[in-house]
Amino acid sequence: MKVFTAAALVLALGIGSAFAQGASVAFGGLQHDASLPVEITADELTVDQATGSAVFSGNVVAGQGEMRLSAARVQVEYATQNGQATGQINQLVATGGVTLVNGAEAAEAQRAVYAVGSGEIVMTGDVVLTQGVNALSGEKLTVDLNTGSGRMEGRVRTIFQTGGNN
């Protein structure tokens, strides 16, 4: 009976599709103002003026408002105009133990690309998202920080806590 009740709850909440190849999920805690300044700390910084990029390595933490992105390495790619870097960040490419935290939601992956202008983050490689006591995993997570909506793809698996007794 408890198995039937849990299955009925999953279907009633409309989350049965989370077991398929792709699932749309609400990421209210990841809604965020992408126009805020980005602050980055790291053990080391290497700048390449020719390519218009900077590479932060070693215990990197990039913060923007309440959102924190940590990784072993973050490459900052600057926007260009007429072949010259504008000084505005185009995107952050994070690799090596990537963790994204905002509020009660956290996501982990092997790689993340944050397009600052559009407010989109794409995390790939063994992605795990936790929302409170619930967890969701897959191969690719795309989050729109402006709307707080997202999509998990690639053999999605989820665990929802029902709050019931065993």
Side-chain angles (χ1 to χ4, degrees):
M1 180 67 175
K2 288 188 186 242
V3 171
F4 175 77
T5 304
L9 177 64
V10 167
L11 291 173
L13 292 175
I15 53 182
S17 64
F19 296 101
Q21 283 293 78
S24 294
V25 183
F27 296 97
L30 290 180
Q31 192 166 358
H32 173 73
D33 181 359
S35 69
L36 295 171
V38 175
E39 178 182 341
I40 302 175
T41 58
D43 294 337
E44 185 177 313
L45 167 63
T46 305
V47 178
D48 186 342
Q49 294 293 343
T51 62
S53 68
V55 176
F56 292 86
S57 56
N59 302 307
V60 183
V61 177
Q64 188 179 39
E66 296 297 315
M67 185 176 71
R68 295 288 176 266
L69 179 102
S70 60
R73 180 181 188 272
V74 173
Q75 179 171 336
V76 179
E77 297 176 0
Y78 293 95
T80 59
Q81 189 173 35
N82 300 325
Q84 299 292 321
T86 64
Q88 292 188 342
I89 297 174
N90 185 39
Q91 67 180 15
L92 303 176
V93 179
T95 55
V98 178
T99 302
L100 174 70
V101 178
N102 199 21
E105 296 179 335
E108 297 178 2
Q110 295 174 7
R111 183 174 196 267
V113 177
Y114 174 24
V116 177
S118 67
E120 180 180 85
I121 296 179
V122 178
M123 301 182 78
T124 55
D126 302 320
V127 181
V128 176
L129 170 71
T130 56
Q131 295 177 301
V133 296
N134 299 315
L136 184 67
S137 66
E139 285 303 310
K140 180 179 178 183
L141 170 64
T142 304
V143 178
D144 181 338
L145 295 173
N146 298 311
T147 64
S149 64
R151 181 168 179 81
M152 181 76 80
E153 301 174 68
R155 197 62 191 153
V156 177
R157 179 183 166 147
T158 188
I159 300 170
F160 292 102
Q161 300 298 326
T162 62
N165 297 330
N166 292 338

